[in-house]
Amino acid sequence: MHPKKTAIAVLGAPNDAAGRLSAMAVERCRQALFEFARHPDACILPTGGWGTHFNTTEKPHGYYTRRFLEAQGIPPDRFLECVESSNTIQDAGLSRPIIARHGITALVVVTSDFHIPRAQFLFQRAFPGMELAFSAAKTNLPPAELARLQAHEARALAALMQNAGAGQSA
């Protein structure tokens, strides 16, 4: 039996036009650092490409995540290639070939607390049989903004579940 090989997927969050990570992206990175301390042999899988809602720079969002994490002491050789995704559905689907190529047997998905239910639904669907864990970064936003994000997540998850129940791909 081969030893477990773990990856920590850090789901993308917005950065500005200069590549500076938003507070939410930094919260997710800090949670990834916590998980790396718990899993010191893990690889890091940054996600996030481009999208008008989160990154309009020339480099993928995952590049900025990696740069932040390296500055916090994670060695460059611990990173897998960036998942150049535009949304959570792509985070899960585009991670699959990378995870398979590197022989990963356990995946810790790091995202914001309000985003965990949808990420969990999508990653469990994309990685049946994989050992999965979900690690929530605490979101520190004004209550009205957090409520808006929670409502968006509830609607998005309901749509995914409805489409899954109808046998459609979401």
Side-chain angles (χ1 to χ4, degrees):
M1 184 171 156
H2 297 291
K4 178 169 66 171
K5 189 169 179 186
T6 301
I8 300 167
V10 187
L11 301 193
N15 55 260
D16 68 14
R20 287 182 298 262
L21 296 178
S22 65
M24 186 183 308
V26 169
E27 291 162 353
R28 291 179 185 188
C29 285
R30 292 199 188 287
Q31 190 66 26
L33 290 167
F34 170 78
E35 290 298 338
F36 189 74
R38 293 180 63 219
H39 306 279
D41 295 329
C43 300
I44 304 292
L45 179 66
T47 76
W50 296 270
T52 56
H53 61 293
F54 75 98
N55 180 29
T56 58
T57 70
E58 292 182 6
K59 297 189 185 307
H61 172 76
Y63 166 84
Y64 303 110
T65 298
R66 178 180 174 150
R67 217 171 65 183
F68 180 92
L69 292 171
E70 283 181 352
Q72 303 302 310
I74 296 184
D77 66 351
R78 300 310 283 283
F79 288 86
L80 303 176
E81 55 266 50
C82 176
V83 176
E84 294 183 3
S85 51
S86 297
N87 56 53
T88 312
I89 294 170
Q90 290 181 0
D91 284 339
L94 296 176
S95 293
R96 283 183 59 181
I98 296 169
I99 295 298
R101 187 166 48 254
H102 291 279
I104 303 298
T105 59
L107 183 62
V108 178
V109 179
V110 174
T111 192
S112 299
D113 46 11
F114 68 86
H115 188 237
I116 288 282
R118 185 160 58 108
Q120 192 169 7
F121 177 85
L122 290 166
F123 276 83
Q124 286 174 339
R125 186 173 72 178
F127 291 92
M130 167 79 64
E131 182 181 329
L132 293 171
F134 297 86
S135 184
K138 177 155 177 35
T139 304
N140 294 299
L141 288 173
E145 179 66 10
L146 184 56
R148 185 188 67 75
L149 290 170
Q150 290 167 330
H152 165 80
E153 287 299 315
R155 287 189 305 273
L157 180 57
L160 286 167
M161 293 172 81
Q162 182 178 17
N163 287 338
Q168 299 173 2
S169 172

